[in-house]
């Protein structure tokens, strides 16, 4: 186990400092979309309306964006 941890640490350190390049094609695609529309009430989200509650395992809502206040 110590050998595996050491090899992992060396690989990540080498990648961080640019000594080796990791194949970016192996990284999974990120499924995120930026929506520029206004806020939509939860009751109007079609997928949530069609999804039975027993099939819902986890639901994450994005944090509201905070705008900087003047004088800070």
């Amino acid at each position: 186990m110590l050998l595996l941890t050491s090899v992992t640490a060396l690989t990540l350190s080498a990648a961080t400092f640019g000594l080796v390049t990791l194949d970016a094609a192996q990284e999974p695609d990120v499924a995120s979309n930026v929506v520029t529309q206004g806020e939509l009430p939860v009751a109007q989200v079609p997928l949530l309306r069609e999804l039975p509650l027993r099939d819902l395992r986890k639901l994450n809502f994005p944090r509201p964006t905070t705008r900087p206040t003047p004088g800070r």
Side-chain angles (χ1 to χ4, degrees), residues 46-72:
L47 181 62
L48 290 177
R49 293 183 64 128
E50 298 169 3
L51 183 68
L53 187 59
R54 67 178 177 273
D55 293 340
L56 185 64
R57 294 188 306 168
K58 186 176 181 180
L59 183 61
N60 292 332
F61 290 103
R63 289 185 178 176
T65 56
T66 57
R67 295 187 175 110
T69 56
R72 280 193 168 183

Side-chain angles (χ1 to χ4, degrees), residues 28-35 62:
D29 293 332
V30 177
S32 63
N33 295 327
V34 177
V35 178

Side-chain angles (χ1 to χ4, degrees), residues 4-30:
L4 177 63
T5 306
S6 299
V7 170
T8 302
L10 289 173
T11 303
L12 293 176
S13 296
T16 300
F17 294 116
L19 301 174
V20 296
T21 55
L22 300 178
D23 187 12
Q26 294 178 353
E27 295 180 10
D29 293 332
V30 177

